[in-house]
Amino acid sequence: SKIATDVCVKAPGLITMPAAAAFGWSVSLGPLSDDFVLRKWAVAGEWLPSDWTFVRPLPLGGWQLLFSLGGSWAAIHLVNVLLHAVNSALVAHIAASFLGPRAGVSAGIIFALFPTSTEAVGWGAGVFDLASTAFALGAVVVWLSPSSKAGNVWTLLLLCVGGLLSKETGLAIPALLLLVVAVSPTEPSRPRIVQVLIAGLLSLGYLAIRASLAPVVAGHLQNLPGDRRQWKDLLVRPFSGLTVPMRTDEGVEAAAYIGGLLLLTLLAIAAIRVLRASATEDATNRPAAVLCLGLGWITLSTLPLLLSFFVAPNLEGSRYLYLPAAGFALAASVAFDRWGGS
């Protein structure tokens, strides 16, 4: 436990080392797939390309800066590795805020080494997922900080804006903050709740503007499933991808599906425990709260792109699991914390 405390409190940068070591090989990669088009837009300063339905100017602006300074594809991949390392440290910080250093170290390492992160980190275009996740995790860390000063409100709003301008998954930030509020062992102060509500209004306003300016967004919403079975399949799919991330086309789909259902069952059990113990502020409720936070995080972080969510057996499309993997790491840290005897 002392080692975990030293790593998580005195030297949080050590959490980034497994992430950097695991994906350092990607720096030698060149451009892949969409990277060529993205580079063309970035170099030309087209942060909002007219023939692209997405609005993700921040990563494109970052690419433009790197290429204008003489950066190569190695620099692009290095930025991805660094963002992944930072995200691993942020996941560790969130877990440690609830359960202590041991859980923080385990969550950070699980997220750093999780196999579904390969596409997001190794592919240059994965910077959209890496950046939006960094803003989302940063927003949660800021909200969990002891201070509730006015400066925190502006920091939180800037992080929400950064997430929205990096990828559509940024819309999940207020929902994730509400989830943190719901599972918090202590009752949040009124200023903290107001911060979350303001972030929610910001995201709803952004979504309304996007829907009014881009018919494709409104059309996307109209394609929501019409029956309960389709909804169930959509909600289970992210859990299945995280439970059995690497599989073949034959014979394993059922196992992945069952694994996803088991995780949803754990979420329901954890939610019941949190609700029953919410009035007691008992420290023993914290593991259930983190389990509920982690599994609920998986669902909420996939909602903005749920209709286009697909991860192939060979992990193609696994970038969709990057932000949800943070929730998986938080949930898994509970098991390591209990096993460690804290």
Side-chain angles (χ1 to χ4, degrees):
S1 180
K2 184 180 184 302
I3 296 177
T5 301
D6 290 341
V7 171
C8 211
V9 178
K10 298 180 182 179
L14 292 177
I15 298 292
T16 66
M17 294 179 64
F23 291 98
W25 56 268
S26 65
V27 176
S28 61
L29 293 176
L32 303 169
S33 186
D34 296 348
D35 291 347
F36 296 97
V37 177
L38 296 176
R39 183 187 185 280
K40 176 184 176 182
W41 288 337
V43 171
E46 296 182 35
W47 297 2
L48 298 171
S50 58
D51 54 346
W52 204 36
T53 58
F54 301 114
V55 178
R56 304 173 182 178
L58 279 187
L60 288 176
W63 275 28
Q64 182 184 24
L65 178 62
L66 281 176
F67 284 123
S68 66
L69 294 175
S72 62
W73 285 109
I76 296 295
H77 289 294
L78 179 61
V79 168
N80 278 17
V81 174
L82 293 176
L83 280 173
H84 180 57
V86 170
N87 289 338
S88 301
L90 292 174
V91 170
H93 182 91
I94 294 170
S97 298
F98 281 90
L99 293 179
R102 184 186 292 112
V105 171
S106 61
I109 292 177
I110 290 170
F111 182 78
L113 303 180
F114 207 69
T116 60
S117 300
T118 302
E119 185 177 76
V121 183
W123 184 19
V127 67
F128 299 118
D129 299 272
L130 296 165
S132 62
T133 297
F135 285 117
L137 293 171
V140 173
V141 168
V142 167
W143 191 88
L144 288 171
S145 65
S147 174
S148 59
K149 297 180 181 179
N152 275 23
V153 178
W154 291 109
T155 303
L156 197 66
L157 290 179
L158 286 175
L159 289 169
C160 289
V161 171
L164 291 171
L165 297 182
S166 296
K167 191 170 181 175
E168 292 68 28
T169 45
L171 288 167
I173 294 178
L176 296 175
L177 292 173
L178 280 174
L179 180 60
V180 175
V181 172
V183 304
S184 179
T186 57
E187 184 177 353
S189 63
R190 181 174 296 179
R192 290 180 179 275
I193 296 177
V194 171
Q195 291 174 5
V196 177
L197 293 177
I198 293 175
L201 291 174
L202 174 67
S203 293
L204 287 175
Y206 175 83
L207 181 60
I209 294 173
R210 284 289 307 278
S212 63
L213 296 178
V216 67
V217 176
H220 185 77
L221 296 176
Q222 292 174 359
N223 291 327
L224 291 173
D227 60 68
R228 288 180 295 177
R229 181 174 180 177
Q230 289 177 319
W231 271 109
K232 180 190 67 175
D233 290 342
L234 282 176
L235 293 175
V236 168
R237 197 176 295 165
F239 288 88
S240 300
L242 290 166
T243 306
V244 189
M246 292 176 290
R247 55 195 192 277
T248 63
D249 289 314
E250 296 85 16
V252 192
E253 287 298 330
Y257 190 81
I258 292 173
L261 287 176
L262 288 175
L263 281 180
L264 284 175
T265 303
L266 280 176
L267 173 59
I269 295 173
I272 292 173
R273 282 198 60 181
V274 170
L275 290 174
R276 285 181 175 178
S278 60
T280 65
E281 297 185 4
D282 188 355
T284 59
N285 183 47
R286 287 180 178 266
V290 175
L291 184 61
C292 190
L293 171 63
L295 298 179
W297 183 296
I298 295 172
T299 295
L300 294 177
S301 60
T302 54
L303 287 180
L305 295 174
L306 190 60
L307 295 182
S308 57
F309 182 93
F310 175 75
V311 179
N314 63 356
L315 291 186
E316 181 182 353
S318 60
R319 63 189 181 280
Y320 290 118
L321 289 171
Y322 188 74
L323 180 56
F328 187 91
L330 291 172
S333 72
V334 175
F336 282 88
D337 185 65
R338 296 295 91 192
W339 179 59
S342 64

